[in-house]
Amino acid sequence: MDSSSLTFWDHLDELRGALLRMAAVVVGCSLLTFALKDELFRLVLAPTQGSFLTYRLLGATDFQLSLMNTGLTEQFMVHLRTSLYAAVLITSPYWIFELMRFAWPGLYKAERRVALAVVGSAYGMFMVGTLVNYLLIFPLTVRFLGTYQVSAEVANMLTLQSYIDTLLGMNLVMGLVFELPVVAALLAKMGLLNSQLMNRYRRHAIVAIFVVAAIITPTTDAFTLTIVALPIYALYEISILLVNNIK
C-alpha cells in the first residue's frame, strides 16, 4: 500500500506492529541470554581477574576482585537485568532496522541518505564506546576502586550489585560520550558549529575532557586518568576534522 494513502491510524497501527516485533525479538533473545548464564557472566565478570586482557597488556596481573551477595533476590535480579541488557545490545540492529523501515516512506531521497548516515554512525560510535569501556576504562576503574583503601583496617567488601551497576552505567556513559563526532557533525550541518571555533577553544576542551574523565573514573592515579582522557580527546580531534569537511 502507498504510504501517502495511509491514514494517521494506519501509521499508528504500523508503528504498533513494529514495536511488538521489536519487543518479541528482545524477549526471545533475553530468554536465550538468561539460559546462557555461565557464558554471559564469564564475560561480565572477566575484569575481576588478573588474567583479563587489559591487565596482561599493562603487566598488572597481580589482581583479583572477590564479589559478594547481600540480598536474597539480588543475584536473580542481577541475572535478569544483565540478560535483558545483553539482549537489547545484541538485537539493537534489528530494532533500529524496524524503526528506520517505519520512517523510511515518509522521507525524501536526500533525507534518507542523511538518516542512514546519522543512524549508522551513531550506532557504530555507541558500540565502539561500549567496547572501549569494557576493554579499557572499566577494568582500570575496577582495579583502582577495588583495591583503594582509606586505611588498612578497612577491608573492601564489594557487592555484585554495585559491580553490575557500575559496569552498565559506565557502558551507557561511554556510549553517549562517543557520540561526540556525530553531534558535532550535525551541529556543523545546521551551521551552529565550525572547526575554527573548536580550534579556538581546544584548551578549554582539554580541561573539560579531563574533568569528564575524572567523573567517569574517580581516580587520583594520573596514568589511569590520562588513559581515559586520551580516547575522548581523540574524539574531539576527529570531530574537528569532520566539521572541517562538512559543506
Side-chain angles (χ1 to χ4, degrees), residues 5 9 16-17 20 24 60 78 80 85 89 99 105 157 181 205 215 238:
S5 64
W9 298 109
R16 182 180 64 86
L20 287 175
V78 164
L80 196 65
Y85 178 85
L89 213 58
L99 291 176
M157 301 178 67
I215 293 172
I238 291 170

Side-chain angles (χ1 to χ4, degrees), residues 1-8 10-11:
M1 184 183 296
D2 187 359
S3 62
S4 60
S5 64
L6 296 177
T7 66
F8 169 77
D10 291 330
H11 284 295

